[in-house]
Amino acid sequence: MSHAGASWHTAAVTTASPPSRITAADLPALQRRTSAVLIGSQILGGLGVAVGIALAPVLASEVSGSEALSGLAPTASVTGTALLSLPLAALMASRGRRPGLVLAYLVGSAGALLVVTATVMGSFPLLLLGMAGFGAGSSANLQARFAAADLAEPDRRGRAIATVIWATTIGSVLGPNIAAPASHVFRDTFVPEAAGPFAWASGIFLITGVLVAVLLRPDPLLTARALAPKDTATAANRSLRAGVAAVRASPMARLALVTVAVSHTAMVSIMVMTPVHLGHHGADIQLIGLVISGHIAGMYAFSPVMGRLADRVGRLAVIGLAAGLLCCAALLAGTSGDGHARTAAGLFVLGLGWSAGLVAGSALLTDSVPQAARAAVQGLSDLTMNTAAGVGGALAGVIVSRLGYGWLNAAAACLLLPMAALALRRSLGRPARDSAKA
């Protein structure tokens, strides 16, 4: 067969063949195709989340008539992300990645439209409900990192996860910058300008859902199961109860769950209060925006480096790196006072630490549980991390108002101690490579 004929054959297999007909020889081409689709969906999905969330507090303030309630809009979005994690995981566990991701983007699209409707009607409760639905877009973006690992070789899972996380950088950077043009499109219409970005986000999520529905074939999770030992692929092993049992049975899975949750909680808690801290020390909106942009760059732009390190030197070593970076970030930011450059450096390092923790923790979690239970365990991970971050974000405001920004950073650093101790304990007790074989 000619090279062109072989290429056509491979494309035909990866796009049309059911999972049961896929062989190990087809996996490299299928993994590349799956990664390309997920990268495209991450760019669009990240754009949808960023273009909407950029003006969420402003919109909440306008609809409610109170600046004190402006923070409830992003809080509702985070809550929606957490609450939708388990239902999406249950759907993926039974039907595959594609139906779960498509449903999440459709719910996000409907939630964004509900936000627009609530703004037109002037209903604040309806706006919060819409923001909760909007959070489904974030749920889809988070779950996509696990979809990237379904077909990856064990020693390349970190890079597969990191590549999809990196793609979010593009949408996250572009989103806030197109929020203003998205608002101006609706000038002199019945739709308030502040709601314009959500109208755009609704369309973006819809397009992303269609992209995934059409191109994410065959389903990566179902394909991985078809190639797994048959005795592990029962429906009982794919239930959420089995997922909880799998985490309880694996010390490494518990460490991975703690790593993802603690890294995310520490990052969110410090990040959400940094604009307030900067404002108290005379920073203007432009400077605050630059600091947050640097933080986002640290979160996403260097994730491929973290993925390569996780695959090369091991998951546990990168978890230790995450703990060190996050502690360093808390020290820099917590002692910055009115030094804006020091605060900016702390937020950049905070993003790097989050990236290391999320990539290494997600890869270790995938390594450490049976293939059949992975979707359920991954949904449990996202529920845990978003719930913990929601609580952390809420408590952060109380700590800053009562004790100050420095004490918030000290509290975040204390959260990291159990994670670092667990990682050290597992490392000392496991001299061999810490990434389990799938």
Side-chain angles (χ1 to χ4, degrees):
M1 182 182 293
S2 67
H3 177 74
S7 299
W8 178 89
H9 172 73
T10 301
V13 168
T14 57
T15 57
S17 297
S20 59
R21 296 182 184 178
I22 301 295
T23 66
D26 300 318
L27 285 183
L30 179 55
Q31 173 65 5
R32 288 193 295 271
R33 174 184 169 82
T34 299
S35 295
V37 174
L38 292 172
I39 287 171
S41 70
Q42 285 293 94
I43 292 173
L44 288 173
L47 180 63
V49 171
V51 72
I53 209 69
L55 290 181
V58 176
L59 191 60
S61 179
E62 288 187 7
V63 173
S64 67
S66 170
E67 288 188 1
L69 299 178
S70 61
L72 291 181
T75 301
S77 179
V78 172
T79 302
T81 301
L83 292 178
L84 288 165
S85 297
L86 281 185
L88 288 176
L91 178 60
M92 290 182 187
S94 61
R95 301 288 298 278
R97 298 290 186 192
R98 187 164 55 88
L101 292 175
V102 170
L103 178 62
Y105 284 123
L106 292 180
V107 173
S109 177
L113 277 182
L114 192 59
V115 169
V116 176
T117 303
T119 307
V120 174
M121 296 175 58
S123 173
F124 187 62
L126 191 63
L127 183 141
L128 295 181
L129 181 61
M131 287 301 303
F134 182 80
S138 295
S139 294
N141 286 351
L142 286 170
Q143 284 291 318
R145 77 188 192 276
F146 290 123
D150 286 334
L151 298 175
E153 294 293 330
D155 61 352
R156 297 187 65 87
R157 281 182 184 142
R159 276 169 280 189
I161 291 170
T163 299
V164 170
I165 293 175
W166 171 86
T168 310
T169 310
I170 301 173
S172 297
V173 171
L174 290 179
N177 291 304
I178 68 171
S183 298
H184 296 159
V185 169
F186 293 92
R187 183 173 294 170
D188 300 325
T189 69
F190 70 95
V191 177
E193 286 191 41
F198 285 92
W200 279 84
S202 178
I204 291 170
F205 284 151
L206 184 61
I207 292 171
T208 308
V210 171
L211 173 74
V212 171
V214 172
L215 297 181
L216 196 63
R217 298 172 182 268
D219 190 282
L221 180 59
L222 299 184
T223 302
R225 284 181 183 163
L227 296 173
K230 300 301 180 186
D231 59 348
T232 66
T234 65
N237 287 340
R238 297 195 296 264
S239 68
L240 292 176
R241 181 176 297 179
V244 174
V247 172
R248 287 178 176 173
S250 171
M252 285 296 188
R254 293 197 296 272
L255 169 60
L257 202 67
V258 169
T259 297
V260 171
V262 169
S263 298
H264 194 57
T265 302
M267 184 277 292
V268 169
S269 300
I270 296 173
M271 183 268 293
V272 296
M273 296 309 300
T274 298
V276 176
H277 167 72
L278 289 169
H280 287 166
H281 290 279
D284 58 17
I285 294 178
Q286 184 177 5
L287 178 58
I288 292 173
L290 287 174
V291 171
I292 298 302
S293 294
H295 170 65
I296 293 173
M299 288 175 64
Y300 297 116
F302 295 88
S303 56
V305 176
M306 302 304 177
R308 185 171 291 274
L309 286 174
D311 289 337
R312 289 285 182 88
V313 304
R315 321 300 195 214
L316 294 178
V318 178
I319 289 174
L321 175 64
L325 287 171
L326 290 168
C327 283
C328 181
L331 177 63
L332 285 170
T335 60
S336 62
D338 59 359
H340 299 328
R342 192 180 181 91
T343 304
L347 265 287
F348 176 73
V349 176
L350 183 71
L352 290 178
W354 175 89
S355 181
L358 187 70
V359 170
S362 299
L364 182 60
L365 187 69
T366 304
D367 291 340
S368 304
V369 297
Q371 204 287 328
R374 281 177 187 165
V377 170
Q378 290 157 353
L380 178 65
S381 171
D382 282 354
L383 171 67
T384 303
M385 68 181 280
N386 283 294
T387 301
V391 173
L395 291 177
V398 177
I399 293 174
V400 170
S401 64
R402 299 268 180 103
L403 300 173
Y405 183 69
W407 282 103
L408 170 64
N409 282 271
C414 289
L415 281 179
L416 299 166
L417 295 178
M419 180 184 94
L422 279 174
L424 180 61
R425 179 183 176 186
R426 296 301 169 201
S427 181
L428 293 176
R430 188 175 177 130
R433 289 189 61 187
D434 55 65
S435 59
K437 298 294 183 183

